[in-house]
Amino acid sequence: MTQGIEGKVVVITGASSGLGEAAVRRLAHDGAKLVLGARRLERLQALAEELSLGTDAVVQTDVTKFEEVKRLVDHAVKLHGRIDVIINNAGLMPHSPLERCKVEDWNRTIDVNLKGVLYGIGAALHYMKQRKSGHIINVSSVAGHKVNPGGAVYAATKHGVRVISEGLRQEVKPYNIRTTIISPGAVATELPDSITEPDFAENVKAFYDRIAIPANSFASVVAFAMSQPEDVDINEILFRPTRQEY
Ligand code: NDP
């Protein structure tokens, strides 16, 4: 399935591990022109080298800083003349109950998961509007639909991503821009490592060990959304491990 993917210029945040890395592998295989962003430059460089993407294909990016996200997108446009797709994927999930008042974790979660997505939209949208073409893919979660104890702040950001994406969908109608929310369930990545409270980390890791599915499940969903005909706009995909109850 390379139709709709081959030759497309795709910027992806959080490309250094997990879902982002899996999407990069799949889209590179299908012939996309990729530009990767994350903070861990050496991980990005190793991935770009392994997939022969070229040294220009990586930009060290902290999505909590608008000017860095803008630099990532501007770099892609300078390199390839346009941006066709942005995948706002970077995220973290430092679960804890609200009563523990983990202000640092709350702030990081909001800054990366919510503001990072806004910054990606803000950096890419004007290029897409100019060309009346583009596709913005935002990564939410099952937690964008549900909340459970310890997951309130994470779920708030992931609900927020869905709300922002729906507002965006309506705003960009005149510009022929497509918008997709991808909401995964438990997928085996480094995400549980972002939990700073040991008891929650242990529970979530045990849950993931029991049921998580491989990250290429996410890559297949990205490829599906991207490979639709121009006039088909896949607005949301929610997927889980078959075994997942939550
Ligand atoms: P990983 O921890 O494996 O990957 C997270 C990615 O986000 C890394 O590439 C990391 O790169 C990047 N990132 C974190 N903080 C920043 C930052 N400040 N600036 C730039 N990049 C950053 O987890 P996943 O692959 O699972 O997570 C990807 C997305 O999928 C997240 O939005 C997550 O919420 C979502 N998701 C994941 C699920 C799962 O079960 N795995 C389920 C539902 C949603 P670096 O550290 O190098 O900056």
Side-chain angles (χ1 to χ4, degrees), residues 13-20 37-40 61-64 89-93 112-113 139-142 154 158 183-191 208:
T13 67
S16 59
S17 65
L19 304 187
R39 291 165 306 170
R40 287 172 294 178
T61 308
D62 181 342
V63 299
T64 67
N89 163 72
L92 41 86
M93 186 184 71
V112 176
N113 295 8
V139 180
S140 177
S141 171
V142 166
Y154 181 71
K158 293 302 185 178
S183 295
V187 182
T189 67
E190 297 172 21
L191 195 66
Y208 271 66

PDB file of all heavy atoms in Angstrom, residues 13-20 37-40 61-64 89-93 112-113 139-142 154 158 183-191 208, ligand 1:
ATOM      1  N   THR A  13       6.846  14.243  14.622  1.00  0.00           N
ATOM      2  CA  THR A  13       7.472  14.517  15.924  1.00  0.00           C
ATOM      3  C   THR A  13       7.458  13.241  16.772  1.00  0.00           C
ATOM      4  O   THR A  13       6.639  12.347  16.554  1.00  0.00           O
ATOM      5  CB  THR A  13       6.739  15.644  16.685  1.00  0.00           C
ATOM      6  OG1 THR A  13       5.420  15.192  17.049  1.00  0.00           O
ATOM      7  CG2 THR A  13       6.654  16.910  15.853  1.00  0.00           C
ATOM      8  N   GLY A  14       8.364  13.177  17.715  1.00  0.00           N
ATOM      9  CA  GLY A  14       8.471  11.967  18.539  1.00  0.00           C
ATOM     10  C   GLY A  14       8.910  10.775  17.710  1.00  0.00           C
ATOM     11  O   GLY A  14       8.469   9.644  17.918  1.00  0.00           O
ATOM     12  N   ALA A  15       9.821  11.038  16.765  1.00  0.00           N
ATOM     13  CA  ALA A  15      10.251   9.987  15.827  1.00  0.00           C
ATOM     14  C   ALA A  15      11.372   9.120  16.387  1.00  0.00           C
ATOM     15  O   ALA A  15      11.815   8.188  15.729  1.00  0.00           O
ATOM     16  CB  ALA A  15      10.703  10.633  14.510  1.00  0.00           C
ATOM     17  N   SER A  16      11.843   9.420  17.606  1.00  0.00           N
ATOM     18  CA  SER A  16      13.028   8.720  18.119  1.00  0.00           C
ATOM     19  C   SER A  16      12.716   7.387  18.773  1.00  0.00           C
ATOM     20  O   SER A  16      13.638   6.638  19.098  1.00  0.00           O
ATOM     21  CB  SER A  16      13.768   9.626  19.113  1.00  0.00           C
ATOM     22  OG  SER A  16      12.912   9.982  20.177  1.00  0.00           O
ATOM     23  N   SER A  17      11.433   7.080  19.000  1.00  0.00           N
ATOM     24  CA  SER A  17      11.109   5.775  19.605  1.00  0.00           C
ATOM     25  C   SER A  17       9.644   5.442  19.358  1.00  0.00           C
ATOM     26  O   SER A  17       8.894   6.244  18.819  1.00  0.00           O
ATOM     27  CB  SER A  17      11.409   5.778  21.106  1.00  0.00           C
ATOM     28  OG  SER A  17      10.579   6.683  21.795  1.00  0.00           O
ATOM     29  N   GLY A  18       9.276   4.240  19.767  1.00  0.00           N
ATOM     30  CA  GLY A  18       7.876   3.837  19.835  1.00  0.00           C
ATOM     31  C   GLY A  18       7.076   3.999  18.562  1.00  0.00           C
ATOM     32  O   GLY A  18       7.492   3.584  17.476  1.00  0.00           O
ATOM     33  N   LEU A  19       5.928   4.633  18.695  1.00  0.00           N
ATOM     34  CA  LEU A  19       4.995   4.755  17.576  1.00  0.00           C
ATOM     35  C   LEU A  19       5.590   5.587  16.446  1.00  0.00           C
ATOM     36  O   LEU A  19       5.410   5.269  15.268  1.00  0.00           O
ATOM     37  CB  LEU A  19       3.685   5.402  18.048  1.00  0.00           C
ATOM     38  CG  LEU A  19       2.941   4.737  19.205  1.00  0.00           C
ATOM     39  CD1 LEU A  19       1.588   5.411  19.414  1.00  0.00           C
ATOM     40  CD2 LEU A  19       2.756   3.262  18.969  1.00  0.00           C
ATOM     41  N   GLY A  20       6.284   6.665  16.821  1.00  0.00           N
ATOM     42  CA  GLY A  20       6.878   7.528  15.800  1.00  0.00           C
ATOM     43  C   GLY A  20       7.912   6.771  14.982  1.00  0.00           C
ATOM     44  O   GLY A  20       7.902   6.823  13.742  1.00  0.00           O
ATOM     45  N   GLY A  37      11.623  14.675  13.893  1.00  0.00           N
ATOM     46  CA  GLY A  37      11.927  15.546  15.027  1.00  0.00           C
ATOM     47  C   GLY A  37      11.794  14.814  16.347  1.00  0.00           C
ATOM     48  O   GLY A  37      10.916  13.959  16.498  1.00  0.00           O
ATOM     49  N   ALA A  38      12.669  15.115  17.286  1.00  0.00           N
ATOM     50  CA  ALA A  38      12.610  14.651  18.680  1.00  0.00           C
ATOM     51  C   ALA A  38      13.803  15.300  19.371  1.00  0.00           C
ATOM     52  O   ALA A  38      14.629  15.958  18.712  1.00  0.00           O
ATOM     53  CB  ALA A  38      12.675  13.133  18.798  1.00  0.00           C
ATOM     54  N   ARG A  39      13.916  15.105  20.700  1.00  0.00           N
ATOM     55  CA  ARG A  39      15.058  15.699  21.397  1.00  0.00           C
ATOM     56  C   ARG A  39      16.309  14.831  21.270  1.00  0.00           C
ATOM     57  O   ARG A  39      17.406  15.342  21.179  1.00  0.00           O
ATOM     58  CB  ARG A  39      14.710  15.900  22.880  1.00  0.00           C
ATOM     59  CG  ARG A  39      13.658  16.983  23.117  1.00  0.00           C
ATOM     60  CD  ARG A  39      13.112  16.874  24.513  1.00  0.00           C
ATOM     61  NE  ARG A  39      12.624  15.509  24.752  1.00  0.00           N
ATOM     62  CZ  ARG A  39      12.253  15.040  25.925  1.00  0.00           C
ATOM     63  NH1 ARG A  39      12.297  15.814  26.990  1.00  0.00           N
ATOM     64  NH2 ARG A  39      11.819  13.807  26.053  1.00  0.00           N
ATOM     65  N   ARG A  40      16.161  13.507  21.263  1.00  0.00           N
ATOM     66  CA  ARG A  40      17.331  12.621  21.251  1.00  0.00           C
ATOM     67  C   ARG A  40      17.892  12.491  19.834  1.00  0.00           C
ATOM     68  O   ARG A  40      17.507  11.595  19.061  1.00  0.00           O
ATOM     69  CB  ARG A  40      16.958  11.247  21.832  1.00  0.00           C
ATOM     70  CG  ARG A  40      16.757  11.267  23.344  1.00  0.00           C
ATOM     71  CD  ARG A  40      16.201   9.972  23.849  1.00  0.00           C
ATOM     72  NE  ARG A  40      14.850   9.728  23.352  1.00  0.00           N
ATOM     73  CZ  ARG A  40      14.143   8.636  23.612  1.00  0.00           C
ATOM     74  NH1 ARG A  40      14.642   7.675  24.359  1.00  0.00           N
ATOM     75  NH2 ARG A  40      12.917   8.501  23.131  1.00  0.00           N
ATOM     76  N   THR A  61      14.468  18.538  17.996  1.00  0.00           N
ATOM     77  CA  THR A  61      13.285  19.380  18.242  1.00  0.00           C
ATOM     78  C   THR A  61      12.686  19.086  19.607  1.00  0.00           C
ATOM     79  O   THR A  61      12.394  17.933  19.929  1.00  0.00           O
ATOM     80  CB  THR A  61      12.187  19.074  17.178  1.00  0.00           C
ATOM     81  OG1 THR A  61      12.759  19.162  15.870  1.00  0.00           O
ATOM     82  CG2 THR A  61      11.031  20.037  17.301  1.00  0.00           C
ATOM     83  N   ASP A  62      12.478  20.133  20.370  1.00  0.00           N
ATOM     84  CA  ASP A  62      11.698  20.033  21.606  1.00  0.00           C
ATOM     85  C   ASP A  62      10.331  20.649  21.302  1.00  0.00           C
ATOM     86  O   ASP A  62      10.241  21.863  21.046  1.00  0.00           O
ATOM     87  CB  ASP A  62      12.418  20.796  22.728  1.00  0.00           C
ATOM     88  CG  ASP A  62      11.666  20.700  24.055  1.00  0.00           C
ATOM     89  OD1 ASP A  62      10.466  20.366  24.048  1.00  0.00           O
ATOM     90  OD2 ASP A  62      12.283  20.978  25.103  1.00  0.00           O
ATOM     91  N   VAL A  63       9.295  19.828  21.317  1.00  0.00           N
ATOM     92  CA  VAL A  63       7.983  20.332  20.876  1.00  0.00           C
ATOM     93  C   VAL A  63       7.347  21.306  21.862  1.00  0.00           C
ATOM     94  O   VAL A  63       6.313  21.890  21.561  1.00  0.00           O
ATOM     95  CB  VAL A  63       6.976  19.191  20.563  1.00  0.00           C
ATOM     96  CG1 VAL A  63       7.470  18.303  19.441  1.00  0.00           C
ATOM     97  CG2 VAL A  63       6.614  18.395  21.807  1.00  0.00           C
ATOM     98  N   THR A  64       7.963  21.500  23.022  1.00  0.00           N
ATOM     99  CA  THR A  64       7.425  22.486  23.955  1.00  0.00           C
ATOM    100  C   THR A  64       7.880  23.903  23.582  1.00  0.00           C
ATOM    101  O   THR A  64       7.490  24.860  24.238  1.00  0.00           O
ATOM    102  CB  THR A  64       7.832  22.196  25.416  1.00  0.00           C
ATOM    103  OG1 THR A  64       9.237  22.384  25.559  1.00  0.00           O
ATOM    104  CG2 THR A  64       7.459  20.791  25.827  1.00  0.00           C
ATOM    105  N   ASN A  89       2.965  13.585  17.029  1.00  0.00           N
ATOM    106  CA  ASN A  89       2.975  12.312  17.752  1.00  0.00           C
ATOM    107  C   ASN A  89       3.666  12.379  19.120  1.00  0.00           C
ATOM    108  O   ASN A  89       3.364  11.589  20.005  1.00  0.00           O
ATOM    109  CB  ASN A  89       3.658  11.267  16.849  1.00  0.00           C
ATOM    110  CG  ASN A  89       4.093  10.041  17.611  1.00  0.00           C
ATOM    111  OD1 ASN A  89       3.263   9.231  18.028  1.00  0.00           O
ATOM    112  ND2 ASN A  89       5.405   9.908  17.818  1.00  0.00           N
ATOM    113  N   ALA A  90       4.599  13.317  19.307  1.00  0.00           N
ATOM    114  CA  ALA A  90       5.380  13.350  20.561  1.00  0.00           C
ATOM    115  C   ALA A  90       4.441  13.388  21.768  1.00  0.00           C
ATOM    116  O   ALA A  90       3.431  14.096  21.761  1.00  0.00           O
ATOM    117  CB  ALA A  90       6.291  14.566  20.587  1.00  0.00           C
ATOM    118  N   GLY A  91       4.781  12.615  22.793  1.00  0.00           N
ATOM    119  CA  GLY A  91       3.932  12.613  23.978  1.00  0.00           C
ATOM    120  C   GLY A  91       4.547  11.875  25.141  1.00  0.00           C
ATOM    121  O   GLY A  91       5.532  11.145  24.979  1.00  0.00           O
ATOM    122  N   LEU A  92       3.978  12.088  26.320  1.00  0.00           N
ATOM    123  CA  LEU A  92       4.385  11.339  27.500  1.00  0.00           C
ATOM    124  C   LEU A  92       3.161  11.110  28.391  1.00  0.00           C
ATOM    125  O   LEU A  92       2.127  11.747  28.211  1.00  0.00           O
ATOM    126  CB  LEU A  92       5.509  12.053  28.255  1.00  0.00           C
ATOM    127  CG  LEU A  92       5.428  13.560  28.408  1.00  0.00           C
ATOM    128  CD1 LEU A  92       4.617  13.925  29.617  1.00  0.00           C
ATOM    129  CD2 LEU A  92       6.839  14.122  28.538  1.00  0.00           C
ATOM    130  N   MET A  93       3.326  10.195  29.357  1.00  0.00           N
ATOM    131  CA  MET A  93       2.164   9.723  30.124  1.00  0.00           C
ATOM    132  C   MET A  93       2.526   9.515  31.597  1.00  0.00           C
ATOM    133  O   MET A  93       2.436   8.405  32.108  1.00  0.00           O
ATOM    134  CB  MET A  93       1.677   8.406  29.497  1.00  0.00           C
ATOM    135  CG  MET A  93       0.405   7.847  30.060  1.00  0.00           C
ATOM    136  SD  MET A  93      -0.044   6.237  29.340  1.00  0.00           S
ATOM    137  CE  MET A  93       1.185   5.132  30.025  1.00  0.00           C
ATOM    138  N   VAL A 112       3.875  19.099  26.407  1.00  0.00           N
ATOM    139  CA  VAL A 112       4.226  18.212  25.285  1.00  0.00           C
ATOM    140  C   VAL A 112       2.971  17.743  24.548  1.00  0.00           C
ATOM    141  O   VAL A 112       2.851  17.900  23.326  1.00  0.00           O
ATOM    142  CB  VAL A 112       5.042  16.992  25.775  1.00  0.00           C
ATOM    143  CG1 VAL A 112       5.315  16.034  24.608  1.00  0.00           C
ATOM    144  CG2 VAL A 112       6.349  17.434  26.424  1.00  0.00           C
ATOM    145  N   ASN A 113       2.012  17.177  25.286  1.00  0.00           N
ATOM    146  CA  ASN A 113       0.884  16.504  24.634  1.00  0.00           C
ATOM    147  C   ASN A 113      -0.107  17.477  24.002  1.00  0.00           C
ATOM    148  O   ASN A 113      -0.731  17.155  22.992  1.00  0.00           O
ATOM    149  CB  ASN A 113       0.116  15.650  25.654  1.00  0.00           C
ATOM    150  CG  ASN A 113       0.940  14.506  26.203  1.00  0.00           C
ATOM    151  OD1 ASN A 113       2.137  14.391  25.952  1.00  0.00           O
ATOM    152  ND2 ASN A 113       0.311  13.643  26.986  1.00  0.00           N
ATOM    153  N   VAL A 139      -1.980  12.592  17.313  1.00  0.00           N
ATOM    154  CA  VAL A 139      -2.080  11.350  18.082  1.00  0.00           C
ATOM    155  C   VAL A 139      -2.757  11.635  19.418  1.00  0.00           C
ATOM    156  O   VAL A 139      -2.234  12.382  20.249  1.00  0.00           O
ATOM    157  CB  VAL A 139      -0.693  10.706  18.271  1.00  0.00           C
ATOM    158  CG1 VAL A 139      -0.826   9.416  19.079  1.00  0.00           C
ATOM    159  CG2 VAL A 139      -0.056  10.411  16.905  1.00  0.00           C
ATOM    160  N   SER A 140      -3.929  11.058  19.593  1.00  0.00           N
ATOM    161  CA  SER A 140      -4.637  11.115  20.870  1.00  0.00           C
ATOM    162  C   SER A 140      -4.453   9.766  21.554  1.00  0.00           C
ATOM    163  O   SER A 140      -3.329   9.256  21.615  1.00  0.00           O
ATOM    164  CB  SER A 140      -6.106  11.480  20.647  1.00  0.00           C
ATOM    165  OG  SER A 140      -6.811  11.480  21.855  1.00  0.00           O
ATOM    166  N   SER A 141      -5.523   9.149  22.009  1.00  0.00           N
ATOM    167  CA  SER A 141      -5.399   7.912  22.799  1.00  0.00           C
ATOM    168  C   SER A 141      -6.797   7.406  23.126  1.00  0.00           C
ATOM    169  O   SER A 141      -7.777   8.166  23.036  1.00  0.00           O
ATOM    170  CB  SER A 141      -4.662   8.229  24.107  1.00  0.00           C
ATOM    171  OG  SER A 141      -4.692   7.136  24.990  1.00  0.00           O
ATOM    172  N   VAL A 142      -6.885   6.155  23.584  1.00  0.00           N
ATOM    173  CA  VAL A 142      -8.119   5.712  24.245  1.00  0.00           C
ATOM    174  C   VAL A 142      -8.432   6.681  25.387  1.00  0.00           C
ATOM    175  O   VAL A 142      -9.583   6.991  25.669  1.00  0.00           O
ATOM    176  CB  VAL A 142      -7.955   4.262  24.779  1.00  0.00           C
ATOM    177  CG1 VAL A 142      -9.069   3.909  25.753  1.00  0.00           C
ATOM    178  CG2 VAL A 142      -7.918   3.268  23.635  1.00  0.00           C
ATOM    179  N   TYR A 154      -3.308  13.242  31.907  1.00  0.00           N
ATOM    180  CA  TYR A 154      -3.030  12.654  30.586  1.00  0.00           C
ATOM    181  C   TYR A 154      -4.319  12.629  29.750  1.00  0.00           C
ATOM    182  O   TYR A 154      -4.322  13.051  28.590  1.00  0.00           O
ATOM    183  CB  TYR A 154      -2.464  11.237  30.766  1.00  0.00           C
ATOM    184  CG  TYR A 154      -2.126  10.538  29.477  1.00  0.00           C
ATOM    185  CD1 TYR A 154      -1.034  10.936  28.703  1.00  0.00           C
ATOM    186  CD2 TYR A 154      -2.887   9.467  29.010  1.00  0.00           C
ATOM    187  CE1 TYR A 154      -0.714  10.290  27.516  1.00  0.00           C
ATOM    188  CE2 TYR A 154      -2.578   8.812  27.839  1.00  0.00           C
ATOM    189  CZ  TYR A 154      -1.483   9.219  27.080  1.00  0.00           C
ATOM    190  OH  TYR A 154      -1.174   8.582  25.909  1.00  0.00           O
ATOM    191  N   LYS A 158      -5.316  14.387  26.154  1.00  0.00           N
ATOM    192  CA  LYS A 158      -5.709  13.585  24.988  1.00  0.00           C
ATOM    193  C   LYS A 158      -7.141  13.892  24.545  1.00  0.00           C
ATOM    194  O   LYS A 158      -7.447  13.853  23.357  1.00  0.00           O
ATOM    195  CB  LYS A 158      -5.512  12.094  25.283  1.00  0.00           C
ATOM    196  CG  LYS A 158      -4.037  11.700  25.447  1.00  0.00           C
ATOM    197  CD  LYS A 158      -3.225  12.057  24.197  1.00  0.00           C
ATOM    198  CE  LYS A 158      -1.802  11.580  24.263  1.00  0.00           C
ATOM    199  NZ  LYS A 158      -1.036  11.898  23.036  1.00  0.00           N
ATOM    200  N   SER A 183      -6.187   7.327  17.815  1.00  0.00           N
ATOM    201  CA  SER A 183      -6.330   7.055  19.251  1.00  0.00           C
ATOM    202  C   SER A 183      -6.002   5.599  19.536  1.00  0.00           C
ATOM    203  O   SER A 183      -6.866   4.726  19.455  1.00  0.00           O
ATOM    204  CB  SER A 183      -7.764   7.377  19.697  1.00  0.00           C
ATOM    205  OG  SER A 183      -8.018   8.752  19.567  1.00  0.00           O
ATOM    206  N   PRO A 184      -4.739   5.335  19.899  1.00  0.00           N
ATOM    207  CA  PRO A 184      -4.360   3.944  20.183  1.00  0.00           C
ATOM    208  C   PRO A 184      -4.714   3.533  21.604  1.00  0.00           C
ATOM    209  O   PRO A 184      -4.779   4.355  22.520  1.00  0.00           O
ATOM    210  CB  PRO A 184      -2.826   3.938  20.030  1.00  0.00           C
ATOM    211  CG  PRO A 184      -2.453   5.287  19.481  1.00  0.00           C
ATOM    212  CD  PRO A 184      -3.559   6.213  19.862  1.00  0.00           C
ATOM    213  N   GLY A 185      -4.889   2.211  21.787  1.00  0.00           N
ATOM    214  CA  GLY A 185      -4.879   1.597  23.108  1.00  0.00           C
ATOM    215  C   GLY A 185      -3.441   1.264  23.471  1.00  0.00           C
ATOM    216  O   GLY A 185      -2.507   1.933  23.001  1.00  0.00           O
ATOM    217  N   ALA A 186      -3.259   0.220  24.276  1.00  0.00           N
ATOM    218  CA  ALA A 186      -1.907  -0.111  24.762  1.00  0.00           C
ATOM    219  C   ALA A 186      -1.039  -0.691  23.647  1.00  0.00           C
ATOM    220  O   ALA A 186      -1.347  -1.741  23.087  1.00  0.00           O
ATOM    221  CB  ALA A 186      -2.002  -1.095  25.910  1.00  0.00           C
ATOM    222  N   VAL A 187       0.025   0.025  23.335  1.00  0.00           N
ATOM    223  CA  VAL A 187       0.977  -0.402  22.309  1.00  0.00           C
ATOM    224  C   VAL A 187       2.362  -0.420  22.962  1.00  0.00           C
ATOM    225  O   VAL A 187       2.721   0.509  23.707  1.00  0.00           O
ATOM    226  CB  VAL A 187       0.957   0.557  21.105  1.00  0.00           C
ATOM    227  CG1 VAL A 187       1.923   0.079  20.035  1.00  0.00           C
ATOM    228  CG2 VAL A 187      -0.449   0.673  20.523  1.00  0.00           C
ATOM    229  N   ALA A 188       3.129  -1.449  22.677  1.00  0.00           N
ATOM    230  CA  ALA A 188       4.429  -1.633  23.350  1.00  0.00           C
ATOM    231  C   ALA A 188       5.445  -0.600  22.863  1.00  0.00           C
ATOM    232  O   ALA A 188       5.926  -0.669  21.725  1.00  0.00           O
ATOM    233  CB  ALA A 188       4.944  -3.037  23.079  1.00  0.00           C
ATOM    234  N   THR A 189       5.725   0.378  23.720  1.00  0.00           N
ATOM    235  CA  THR A 189       6.705   1.438  23.429  1.00  0.00           C
ATOM    236  C   THR A 189       7.386   1.809  24.747  1.00  0.00           C
ATOM    237  O   THR A 189       7.165   1.164  25.767  1.00  0.00           O
ATOM    238  CB  THR A 189       6.016   2.707  22.869  1.00  0.00           C
ATOM    239  OG1 THR A 189       5.218   3.281  23.918  1.00  0.00           O
ATOM    240  CG2 THR A 189       5.139   2.408  21.663  1.00  0.00           C
ATOM    241  N   GLU A 190       8.139   2.915  24.715  1.00  0.00           N
ATOM    242  CA  GLU A 190       8.789   3.387  25.942  1.00  0.00           C
ATOM    243  C   GLU A 190       7.872   4.265  26.797  1.00  0.00           C
ATOM    244  O   GLU A 190       8.305   4.814  27.813  1.00  0.00           O
ATOM    245  CB  GLU A 190      10.063   4.167  25.567  1.00  0.00           C
ATOM    246  CG  GLU A 190      11.088   3.311  24.860  1.00  0.00           C
ATOM    247  CD  GLU A 190      12.263   4.115  24.308  1.00  0.00           C
ATOM    248  OE1 GLU A 190      12.516   5.243  24.767  1.00  0.00           O
ATOM    249  OE2 GLU A 190      12.929   3.604  23.391  1.00  0.00           O
ATOM    250  N   LEU A 191       6.621   4.423  26.373  1.00  0.00           N
ATOM    251  CA  LEU A 191       5.720   5.372  27.048  1.00  0.00           C
ATOM    252  C   LEU A 191       5.617   5.158  28.566  1.00  0.00           C
ATOM    253  O   LEU A 191       5.692   6.136  29.323  1.00  0.00           O
ATOM    254  CB  LEU A 191       4.332   5.319  26.402  1.00  0.00           C
ATOM    255  CG  LEU A 191       3.392   6.469  26.742  1.00  0.00           C
ATOM    256  CD1 LEU A 191       3.898   7.796  26.174  1.00  0.00           C
ATOM    257  CD2 LEU A 191       1.981   6.201  26.246  1.00  0.00           C
ATOM    258  N   TYR A 208       0.920  -3.318  30.440  1.00  0.00           N
ATOM    259  CA  TYR A 208       1.462  -3.322  29.075  1.00  0.00           C
ATOM    260  C   TYR A 208       2.099  -4.676  28.751  1.00  0.00           C
ATOM    261  O   TYR A 208       1.923  -5.197  27.645  1.00  0.00           O
ATOM    262  CB  TYR A 208       2.478  -2.180  28.893  1.00  0.00           C
ATOM    263  CG  TYR A 208       1.832  -0.891  28.429  1.00  0.00           C
ATOM    264  CD1 TYR A 208       0.952  -0.196  29.246  1.00  0.00           C
ATOM    265  CD2 TYR A 208       2.092  -0.369  27.166  1.00  0.00           C
ATOM    266  CE1 TYR A 208       0.347   0.984  28.827  1.00  0.00           C
ATOM    267  CE2 TYR A 208       1.491   0.809  26.734  1.00  0.00           C
ATOM    268  CZ  TYR A 208       0.617   1.476  27.568  1.00  0.00           C
ATOM    269  OH  TYR A 208       0.013   2.634  27.131  1.00  0.00           O
TER     270      TYR A 208
HETATM  271  P1  NDP B   1       7.593   6.692  23.457  1.00  0.00           P
HETATM  272  O1  NDP B   1       7.951   7.107  24.837  1.00  0.00           O
HETATM  273  O2  NDP B   1       8.206   5.462  22.914  1.00  0.00           O
HETATM  274  O3  NDP B   1       7.851   7.885  22.451  1.00  0.00           O
HETATM  275  C1  NDP B   1       7.572   9.215  22.797  1.00  0.00           C
HETATM  276  C2  NDP B   1       8.213  10.122  21.787  1.00  0.00           C
HETATM  277  O4  NDP B   1       7.894  11.471  22.116  1.00  0.00           O
HETATM  278  C3  NDP B   1       9.716   9.992  21.766  1.00  0.00           C
HETATM  279  O5  NDP B   1      10.165   9.973  20.443  1.00  0.00           O
HETATM  280  C4  NDP B   1      10.180  11.252  22.479  1.00  0.00           C
HETATM  281  O6  NDP B   1      11.423  11.693  21.919  1.00  0.00           O
HETATM  282  C5  NDP B   1       9.069  12.208  22.094  1.00  0.00           C
HETATM  283  N1  NDP B   1       9.034  13.358  23.006  1.00  0.00           N
HETATM  284  C6  NDP B   1       8.768  13.380  24.331  1.00  0.00           C
HETATM  285  N2  NDP B   1       8.908  14.630  24.808  1.00  0.00           N
HETATM  286  C7  NDP B   1       9.268  15.412  23.752  1.00  0.00           C
HETATM  287  C8  NDP B   1       9.572  16.778  23.595  1.00  0.00           C
HETATM  288  N3  NDP B   1       9.525  17.645  24.619  1.00  0.00           N
HETATM  289  N4  NDP B   1       9.910  17.224  22.366  1.00  0.00           N
HETATM  290  C9  NDP B   1       9.978  16.380  21.320  1.00  0.00           C
HETATM  291  N5  NDP B   1       9.704  15.083  21.402  1.00  0.00           N
HETATM  292  C10 NDP B   1       9.350  14.589  22.608  1.00  0.00           C
HETATM  293  O7  NDP B   1       6.000   6.563  23.480  1.00  0.00           O
HETATM  294  P2  NDP B   1       4.949   6.307  22.291  1.00  0.00           P
HETATM  295  O8  NDP B   1       5.622   6.050  21.026  1.00  0.00           O
HETATM  296  O9  NDP B   1       3.979   5.325  22.803  1.00  0.00           O
HETATM  297  O10 NDP B   1       4.197   7.715  22.259  1.00  0.00           O
HETATM  298  C11 NDP B   1       3.881   8.396  21.072  1.00  0.00           C
HETATM  299  C12 NDP B   1       2.493   8.995  21.199  1.00  0.00           C
HETATM  300  O11 NDP B   1       1.529   7.964  21.262  1.00  0.00           O
HETATM  301  C13 NDP B   1       2.278   9.838  22.466  1.00  0.00           C
HETATM  302  O12 NDP B   1       1.565  11.011  22.122  1.00  0.00           O
HETATM  303  C14 NDP B   1       1.432   8.933  23.338  1.00  0.00           C
HETATM  304  O13 NDP B   1       0.655   9.663  24.251  1.00  0.00           O
HETATM  305  C15 NDP B   1       0.605   8.250  22.270  1.00  0.00           C
HETATM  306  N6  NDP B   1      -0.051   7.025  22.706  1.00  0.00           N
HETATM  307  C16 NDP B   1       0.688   5.909  22.994  1.00  0.00           C
HETATM  308  C17 NDP B   1       0.073   4.776  23.439  1.00  0.00           C
HETATM  309  C18 NDP B   1       0.834   3.549  23.816  1.00  0.00           C
HETATM  310  O14 NDP B   1       0.237   2.642  24.415  1.00  0.00           O
HETATM  311  N7  NDP B   1       2.112   3.446  23.487  1.00  0.00           N
HETATM  312  C19 NDP B   1      -1.396   4.690  23.602  1.00  0.00           C
HETATM  313  C20 NDP B   1      -2.065   5.916  23.229  1.00  0.00           C
HETATM  314  C21 NDP B   1      -1.418   7.021  22.794  1.00  0.00           C
HETATM  315  P3  NDP B   1      12.639  12.357  22.739  1.00  0.00           P
HETATM  316  O15 NDP B   1      12.578  11.814  24.140  1.00  0.00           O
HETATM  317  O16 NDP B   1      13.839  11.910  21.971  1.00  0.00           O
HETATM  318  O17 NDP B   1      12.386  13.821  22.652  1.00  0.00           O
END
